[in-house]
Amino acid sequence: MLLLLLSAGLSFIWTPYDPQRANPYDQWLSPSFTHLLGTDNIGRDIFSVLLVGARVTVGVALGSAVVAAIVGIALAALGALTARWVREGVAVLVDVLIAFPTLLIAMMLASAFGGSLLVVVLAVGFSFGVNIGRVSRPELRRVRRADFVLAGRAAGRGPVRNLTTHLLPNVAPVFIVQLSWAMAVAILAEAGLSYLGYGAPSGTPSWGRMLAELQSYIGIHPWSVLWPGLAITLTVLAFNLLGDAIRDVTDPRLTRAPVVTA
């Protein structure tokens, strides 16, 4: 994760070569001190394109997490803290929406509004926000029956203040894990949509677009496809492991008291 963030930040101020510059005289150069990861079919430096692609990856992951958090919190609150008829309506709506795969929703939006990173962020954020709402709703209903929540209501605290003060902090570990998965799914979705031509627009360095452009040369220059594929794999794995690690630290139910022996 640190390497990803450093790469994205570094790409704003420095890259070894211009990632948009094509040089036909430098096609398919092998990795060397001049070009650390070699060059592609039009002579671009692969390392430079990967650095700028990290910026796109971080932006898509963070944007999708923000949208997913807003949608998930709203659905969980409506499904756990409102009147019964509202809760049942939200439950039916969530069950209907969750039946649509994330990639399918993104492709539908991209077909209607054109391929762009914003479409990927909105599609992944909304789809995973529905998942977060479904998973978090039982947790909110469990916490709302706790004594400290009842005491807050008796002291005159409104539902919004109870939600922000007591309920959300107690379900934060669930949210953190779900958001880390949402960011991992966002990265895969962006790569998949860019691979299919629905994601990052043409001319935008993207790991998925690199795979799409270089796939036909995998039998001749397999190392050129290795780097973006490896970057996607390690980044998705990092997001998943980071979410699990934060949950282990922040969830009090996973903290075991020391065993005292005589």
Side-chain angles (χ1 to χ4, degrees):
M1 288 296 302
L2 180 61
L3 180 61
L4 173 68
L5 295 176
L6 289 175
S7 300
L10 182 64
S11 67
F12 283 101
I13 58 176
W14 175 83
T15 55
Y17 298 89
D18 184 355
Q20 303 287 358
R21 179 176 176 270
N23 187 351
Y25 296 103
D26 290 339
Q27 291 180 350
W28 302 124
L29 295 181
S30 301
S32 63
F33 289 107
T34 305
H35 298 278
L36 293 179
L37 302 181
T39 59
D40 60 10
N41 58 316
I42 58 176
R44 295 179 303 180
D45 181 64
I46 293 179
F47 182 63
S48 300
V49 181
L50 279 178
L51 284 179
V52 180
R55 184 196 313 172
V56 174
T57 298
V58 172
V60 169
L62 294 180
S64 300
V66 171
V67 175
I70 295 173
V71 174
I73 291 174
L75 290 176
L78 289 174
L81 308 177
T82 54
R84 181 177 179 180
W85 65 272
V86 177
R87 296 199 303 267
E88 292 178 353
V90 171
V92 173
L93 177 63
V94 168
D95 289 339
V96 171
L97 293 176
I98 208 169
F100 293 91
T102 300
L103 195 60
L104 178 60
I105 294 177
M107 292 179 66
M108 292 169 57
L109 291 176
S111 299
F113 301 104
S116 67
L117 295 178
L118 179 60
V119 168
V120 176
V121 168
L122 293 177
V124 175
F126 179 79
S127 299
F128 225 90
V130 174
N131 287 318
I132 293 176
R134 187 178 187 183
V135 172
S136 303
R137 184 182 58 190
E139 290 292 317
L140 277 179
R141 297 187 65 181
R142 177 186 61 82
V143 176
R144 69 174 295 200
R145 294 190 292 267
D147 292 338
F148 57 86
V149 177
L150 297 177
R153 292 170 59 186
R157 291 185 177 180
V160 175
R161 189 174 179 187
N162 256 331
L163 177 66
T164 57
T165 305
H166 295 306
L167 298 177
L168 290 182
N170 280 276
V171 298
V174 176
F175 267 98
I176 291 172
V177 175
Q178 293 295 318
L179 286 178
S180 69
W181 291 343
M183 290 188 281
V185 171
I187 294 170
L188 288 176
E190 185 277 324
L193 290 171
S194 296
Y195 180 83
L196 296 173
Y198 291 102
S202 179
T204 302
S206 164
W207 295 346
R209 185 165 291 279
M210 290 179 68
L211 288 176
E213 294 173 349
L214 298 175
Q215 64 165 339
S216 56
Y217 305 100
I218 190 171
I220 308 174
H221 302 282
W223 48 266
S224 63
V225 185
L226 170 66
W227 306 120
L230 187 61
I232 294 171
T233 302
L234 293 178
T235 302
V236 172
L237 180 62
F239 273 110
N240 284 320
L241 294 179
L242 179 65
D244 289 339
I246 296 177
R247 181 197 59 181
D248 292 342
V249 173
T250 59
D251 194 340
R253 292 172 298 177
L254 298 177
T255 303
R256 298 181 178 180
V259 178
V260 179
T261 58

